[in-house]
Amino acid sequence: MSATLAIVGADVRTMDPQRPRASAVALDGDTIIAVGDDAEIREVCDGATEILDGRGWHLTPGLTDGHQHLLEGATIAQGIDFDRVGTLDRARTLVAAERDRVEPGSWLYGYALEYSTFGGRPYHHTMFDDVSGGRPMFVFALDLHTGFANAEALRLAGVTGARDFSDSSSIVVDDEGRPTGELRERSAVEVVLAAIPPRTPEQTRALQIEALRRQNAVGLTAIHQMDGDPDALDAFEALEAEDALTMTVAVHNILTPTTESDYIDELLATPPRSGRRWRSDGVKFWLDGVIETGTAWLEHADDRGGGTEPNWPSLPEWEALVRRCHDAGRRIAIHAIGDRAVRETLDVYSRIDGAAGRHRIEHIETAPDQIVGRFRPEGITASVQPIHMRWIAADFSDPWSQRLDHDQCQHAMPSGDLSAAGALVVLGSDWPVAPYDPRLGIFAAQLRRSPDVDDPAPVGASRPLTGEETLAGYTINAARAVGEGDIAGMLRPGYRADVVAWADDIATCNPVDVPELPVLLTVQAGRIVHRAPEVDPA
């Protein structure tokens, strides 16, 4: 066996406890065949091997985003980018500019609008009706749990008042029962989304391929997809057929209170769909919403009386479905942001034999020590997104913190405490909720703040993650969480050939420097999917 690609002369951090460091790696197709010193690697090379000079390079396994919405992000992250737009005046200016840019009659579309933009006031469509110039407008909030529509969009969607939904979704109305344009949770959002003209399949596919390319360029070689459905599986199948799927994807099929029972029966009665680089053996539940709108499930009501109910109207029915998914051999991920949602999810898992080591909880935005301490002994994976601290102020003056009490704020985003307690911690972004660039997440995990805030104070009292813990969260921990700990997440012979070359050791360099750390090369399943301009292609 001879290598098709080899990198020599590098500093290699393998994440393999049997051989933590090396200087070279060799790949044959999509598999690592050797890890060692330069002489060992050259022994498996021949005249057909592409040998790259890795002097000055620092290699790690390819990174995994442990919680993402790739396909949705590819289409949602279009139009007006409201990321870090902090005032209503600035938001209005961007809407006016988009109005002038698009064709008459076109929808105005945007994403990543922060709740703080409204200056503490409730949203009302009159904030944007005049600057949208009669065009319909729909904007996603930063967390994708809320949508904001103007009057014309409400008219086209036929929204004239409140509606009853089978989950916790709601169309917000004023005192006279008229819709304000705020749409809380997905069922309400879908009412307006259904009125937007769809893109062509060709347009959608081009956006998906571009999203893959951009993520490869920052070192990502795998993702845990958290909103699978038949259309998503068709999309991954089509991307792979075109040789355009440059990620390994673990798909979690989304199940909600509105999911048809026939679909659930078929999903659980048939083998999971899969391809060479994707598989769909996971399921995903939302147990609650988000703290900012009062839809997260808390141990006690928030400061506005919200946070008292789960997303599922019948908890016994939800638990029964969780158990069915477990019995069908599926890996389960449950969105639980509030402290009570986290506790209730752990309680359900604890009543299921065999849950340890297979299932996980997503987000865990606030949890006291006694809850954090349950993860390791109960064998439940903690899937967290430190980059979400970008919306929490160190002085707790932000909309998220203002809903909670001081103790809940101090336990914000407890990724370091979870790791210190021995939990398997997986790191991700939740893109398009937050930027997918793992370098930003690595910064936030170690400094407990976002790189684009001036205040150096950390958020909350949870301890930071170390550089090594952070890298594990993006590599071997992520692989173990989806049952791939014996084939991915390390640079070890026989493992998937996912490799990233950095300009410095990403586990030990100053985290302040990580957001700008050059990604020199990304290899996904043995194929070079990103090569920096300064890397000699010869």
Side-chain angles (χ1 to χ4, degrees):
M1 179 184 298
S2 59
T4 54
L5 176 66
I7 304 171
V8 298
D11 173 27
V12 183
R13 183 180 287 273
T14 68
M15 304 304 291
D16 180 354
Q18 296 180 15
R19 188 165 192 170
R21 307 305 287 260
S23 67
V25 298
L27 322 176
D28 180 26
D30 62 1
T31 304
I32 298 170
I33 59 171
V35 179
D37 60 33
D38 290 6
E40 290 174 299
I41 297 310
R42 290 188 183 278
E43 287 181 359
V44 298
C45 298
D46 60 18
T49 305
E50 180 180 7
I51 301 177
L52 299 177
D53 182 355
R55 283 177 295 179
W57 293 9
H58 299 262
L59 306 188
T60 68
L63 303 194
T64 296
D65 189 321
H67 185 118
Q68 198 185 114
H69 307 273
L70 172 70
L71 304 179
E72 188 176 48
T75 55
I76 283 177
Q78 305 296 324
I80 309 169
D81 182 356
F82 287 101
D83 189 45
R84 290 315 206 192
V85 173
T87 67
L88 181 58
D89 285 345
R90 176 60 180 155
R92 284 169 51 84
T93 298
L94 292 178
V95 170
E98 185 74 353
R99 173 202 66 202
D100 295 338
R101 186 187 70 82
V102 302
E103 295 293 328
S106 298
W107 279 70
L108 305 179
Y109 190 81
Y111 65 101
L113 188 62
E114 300 187 19
Y115 296 102
S116 59
T117 302
F118 309 130
R121 292 180 292 162
Y123 174 79
H124 197 276
H125 58 77
T126 54
M127 293 176 173
F128 293 104
D129 285 341
D130 57 338
V131 292
S132 52
R135 292 172 172 79
M137 182 199 81
F138 175 84
V139 175
F140 267 110
L142 60 96
D143 53 25
L144 304 186
H145 282 260
T146 305
F148 304 107
N150 69 355
E152 180 63 8
L154 294 173
R155 185 187 70 80
L156 291 175
V159 178
T160 59
R163 298 186 187 181
D164 291 328
F165 298 100
S166 59
D167 55 15
S168 62
S169 299
S170 64
I171 294 172
V172 178
V173 297
D174 62 19
D175 292 342
E176 298 180 6
R178 296 173 299 195
T180 67
E182 181 176 351
L183 311 161
R184 294 181 181 171
E185 300 301 330
R186 187 48 61 97
S187 294
V189 167
E190 291 289 347
V191 173
V192 173
L193 287 182
I196 301 177
R199 295 182 176 89
T200 67
E202 294 75 19
Q203 291 170 328
T204 299
R205 189 65 43 77
L207 293 173
Q208 293 166 350
I209 292 172
E210 175 61 15
L212 286 162
R213 184 196 67 79
R214 289 187 283 115
Q215 296 197 29
N216 292 149
V218 294
L220 290 172
T221 59
I223 60 170
H224 298 170
Q225 174 84 5
M226 287 294 164
D227 54 358
D229 59 21
D231 290 341
L233 303 188
D234 289 345
F236 287 122
E237 190 170 66
L239 286 164
E240 186 167 74
E242 296 174 15
D243 200 27
L245 185 58
T246 55
M247 295 274 196
T248 299
V249 185
V251 183
H252 294 71
N253 295 278
I254 191 74
L255 298 179
T256 74
T258 63
T259 303
E260 296 289 340
S261 59
D262 289 347
Y263 169 77
I264 296 173
D265 293 343
E266 181 179 0
L267 177 71
L268 300 182
T270 56
R273 288 176 60 184
S274 64
R276 287 188 309 110
R277 294 286 166 243
W278 64 275
R279 58 193 174 92
S280 62
D281 61 348
V283 295
K284 159 83 177 301
F285 293 90
W286 277 307
L287 183 55
D288 66 347
V290 293
I291 288 169
E292 290 89 339
T293 63
T295 54
W297 196 15
L298 305 172
E299 294 287 7
H300 58 78
D302 65 25
D303 77 325
R304 302 180 196 179
T308 60
E309 297 180 353
N311 188 53
W312 284 72
S314 170
L315 288 177
E317 290 181 7
W318 168 69
E319 180 171 350
L321 183 53
V322 169
R323 187 177 295 273
R324 278 187 64 195
C325 293
H326 170 86
D327 291 343
R330 299 304 196 263
R331 297 184 180 276
I332 301 170
I334 297 178
H335 166 122
I337 279 181
D339 43 16
R340 181 165 181 186
V342 177
R343 176 174 63 80
E344 294 277 357
T345 300
L346 288 169
D347 289 347
V348 167
Y349 283 154
S350 71
R351 293 191 286 269
I352 298 176
D353 291 338
R358 193 201 302 180
H359 305 321
R360 53 198 276 175
I361 300 179
E362 310 300 308
H363 307 308
I364 317 167
E365 290 194 1
T366 181
D369 293 341
Q370 60 267 34
I371 295 300
V372 166
R374 291 179 57 181
F375 278 79
R376 179 183 180 181
E378 297 181 24
I380 304 304
T381 296
S383 172
V384 293
Q385 301 79 44
I387 189 57
H388 288 196
M389 283 183 281
R390 70 200 305 255
W391 298 299
I392 303 178
D395 64 359
F396 303 137
S397 60
D398 58 279
W400 184 95
S401 303
Q402 291 300 300
R403 288 268 187 173
L404 304 177
D405 64 32
H406 181 74
D407 188 62
Q408 289 170 317
C409 291
Q410 289 289 3
H411 288 93
M413 311 291 179
S415 52
D417 291 343
L418 285 159
S419 183
L424 185 72
V425 174
V426 173
L427 301 180
S429 69
D430 203 13
W431 188 70
V433 171
Y436 54 73
D437 191 334
R439 295 172 298 181
L440 305 183
I442 290 168
F443 178 106
Q446 295 183 66
L447 297 180
R448 294 197 55 80
R449 61 183 176 88
S450 175
D452 59 355
V453 298
D454 296 329
D455 187 353
V459 170
S462 177
R463 82 159 174 85
L465 290 168
T466 66
E468 290 79 4
E469 287 174 320
T470 302
L471 183 57
Y474 281 106
T475 55
I476 186 58
N477 290 2
R480 288 169 177 161
V482 292
E484 292 190 337
D486 57 349
I487 62 170
M490 297 183 193
L491 300 181
R492 173 189 280 185
Y495 277 50
R496 190 167 62 232
D498 294 345
V499 186
V500 182
W502 310 88
D504 199 350
D505 186 341
I506 199 163
T508 60
C509 70
N510 189 332
V512 172
D513 299 326
V514 168
E516 301 300 325
L517 185 65
V519 181
L520 304 174
L521 190 79
T522 306
V523 180
Q524 199 277 326
R527 176 170 55 169
I528 295 175
V529 293
H530 165 72
R531 192 192 303 249
E534 62 266 32
V535 175
D536 184 356

